[in-house]
Amino acid sequence: MLEILSDHKTFKVLNFVETMSHEDRLIRKLKQLKNNGFITEKEYNFCRPTGSQPARIYGLPKIHKIGAPLRPIVSASGTFNYNLAKLLANKLDHLRKNDTIITNTFAFVDELLALEFDNSQIKMVSLDITSLFTNVPLQHTIQIFLDKLYGPEHTCTYSDKKRDDWCQKCKNRFEMKYLLDTSTQDTNFIFNSKIYSQINGVAMGSPLGPVFADIYVNYLENKLMSRLINNGLLYLRRFVDDTFAIIKKDADLNKIIDILNSFDNCIVFTCEEEVNNSLPFLDIYITRLPTNNSTNNLNNILSNNSTNNISTNNLSNNLNNNLNNKSSNNHTMGYLISV
């Protein structure tokens, strides 16, 4: 954990706890927003911090990775901005929806089992983003949120007008930016009796962490999707920083990785290819069955496995049109999926 905290681009050591000054400042702002009608009385009471404490940090081992490296988790409950982050996460959650996002394993399995491809012409890969949460560009992501909520910035903010003379949309945009900044920054935490602050990315443990991560990666995917498809991508689904993809057998995987890594220097994708037609992903193990006689192969495998295995063959296609690149001669893709 000390090695993680020694990354001065992400964390810094503080000489004193700033929690109370942050709490007082936020209370004053929330009162102003309540009086202006930007938040309700109920929202004010929910977000108003009292008796705030610094967060705690601990390491969660990534047991599926070699050496079980630690994932830093900030336990932020009780911090001055935790309830504000929780409120905003609930309000903004609808903005993270995207066709590529996996909502749960069961829905993903159902969709996967419905795919139809020529098995001899594809391969499976999984992609992982290195330390996504601590590398999410906060200000860029906040601008994406604001554009989705209010549209592009108006000229009010660039004019000589006083803020009281701005249009209502620009006023709301300004206040929302303040709340997003406050809910994702200045969270102090303690480790080994030292006080730290995260100065880059969003804390894993903040209610806004998954929302910010999804919003930014959605933005990245939308910008790069046409290039990825042109270079052999056929199917892509993602759960936070873990992505499952099906690509053409002759696709240049290094080229696809280069495209993904070209968007933002801080967002780095790594890749794992299928081995013997099989690939672990999340909490499932996916085996791609041979094209020829896939029904018999599937039944034979199932007879030698537990009843917890899920299988299918010859199901209808459920791909999005922009990811569908089948030919009329495609064969059904058979799977054995262990959960």
Side-chain angles (χ1 to χ4, degrees), residues 103-128:
T103 55
N104 61 75
T105 300
F106 298 103
F108 173 62
V109 167
D110 288 341
E111 183 175 321
L112 189 63
L113 294 175
L115 299 181
E116 294 180 4
F117 286 110
D118 183 345
N119 257 7
S120 65
Q121 299 300 317
I122 64 170
K123 57 185 175 183
M124 303 182 296
V125 298
S126 67
L127 306 168
D128 178 66

Side-chain angles (χ1 to χ4, degrees), residues 108 111-127 225 228-229 231-237 243-251 253 256 272 274 279 281 286 288 317 319 323-326 333-335:
F108 173 62
E111 183 175 321
L112 189 63
L113 294 175
L115 299 181
E116 294 180 4
F117 286 110
D118 183 345
N119 257 7
S120 65
Q121 299 300 317
I122 64 170
K123 57 185 175 183
M124 303 182 296
V125 298
S126 67
L127 306 168
M225 188 58 71
L228 294 172
I229 292 174
N231 281 274
L233 177 68
L234 297 172
Y235 176 85
L236 181 145
R237 289 296 182 267
T243 299
F244 174 85
I246 297 174
I247 63 176
K248 294 179 180 178
K249 184 178 181 179
D250 59 355
L253 182 56
I256 291 176
E272 179 182 351
E274 64 175 55
L279 185 72
F281 181 72
I286 307 167
R288 179 168 54 86
N317 175 47
L319 288 175
L323 292 180
N324 187 358
N325 195 21
K326 299 188 301 174
M333 188 174 184
Y335 283 100

Side-chain angles (χ1 to χ4, degrees), residues 62 65 127-132 135 217 220 238 240-243 266-270:
K62 304 177 185 179
K65 297 290 181 69
L127 306 168
D128 178 66
I129 303 176
T130 304
S131 302
L132 172 60
N135 284 298
V217 181
L220 178 152
R238 176 177 56 82
V240 191
D241 58 351
D242 292 313
T243 299
C266 294
I267 304 298
V268 178
F269 284 81
T270 60

Side-chain angles (χ1 to χ4, degrees), residues 92-235:
L92 302 176
D93 187 69
H94 67 284
L95 298 177
R96 69 196 284 203
K97 292 181 180 178
N98 193 297
D99 290 338
T100 62
I101 289 181
I102 297 171
T103 55
N104 61 75
T105 300
F106 298 103
F108 173 62
V109 167
D110 288 341
E111 183 175 321
L112 189 63
L113 294 175
L115 299 181
E116 294 180 4
F117 286 110
D118 183 345
N119 257 7
S120 65
Q121 299 300 317
I122 64 170
K123 57 185 175 183
M124 303 182 296
V125 298
S126 67
L127 306 168
D128 178 66
I129 303 176
T130 304
S131 302
L132 172 60
F133 280 62
T134 55
N135 284 298
V136 170
L138 280 182
Q139 290 307 312
H140 192 171
T141 307
I142 287 173
Q143 290 302 318
I144 295 172
F145 271 115
L146 296 176
D147 287 346
K148 285 179 175 289
L149 289 169
Y150 305 110
E153 283 187 279
H154 291 181
T155 56
C156 294
T157 53
Y158 303 109
S159 67
D160 295 330
K161 292 181 180 179
K162 294 182 179 180
R163 196 181 307 155
D164 290 341
D165 297 327
W166 288 3
C167 69
Q168 192 59 49
K169 183 176 287 188
C170 286
K171 289 179 181 178
N172 291 345
R173 185 185 178 102
F174 177 85
E175 303 297 7
M176 180 58 74
K177 184 179 187 308
Y178 177 90
L179 294 181
L180 288 169
D181 283 336
T182 302
S183 61
T184 53
Q185 299 176 12
D186 299 324
T187 298
N188 305 155
F189 61 86
I190 296 176
F191 183 77
N192 277 0
S193 301
K194 286 187 177 181
I195 305 163
Y196 294 83
S197 179
Q198 183 172 327
I199 57 177
N200 193 34
V202 61
M204 182 172 284
S206 166
L208 277 171
V211 184
F212 267 61
D214 273 341
I215 282 290
Y216 189 70
V217 181
N218 286 347
Y219 177 76
L220 178 152
E221 289 174 351
N222 291 337
K223 291 291 186 180
L224 299 179
M225 188 58 71
S226 61
R227 292 177 62 193
L228 294 172
I229 292 174
N230 290 338
N231 281 274
L233 177 68
L234 297 172
Y235 176 85

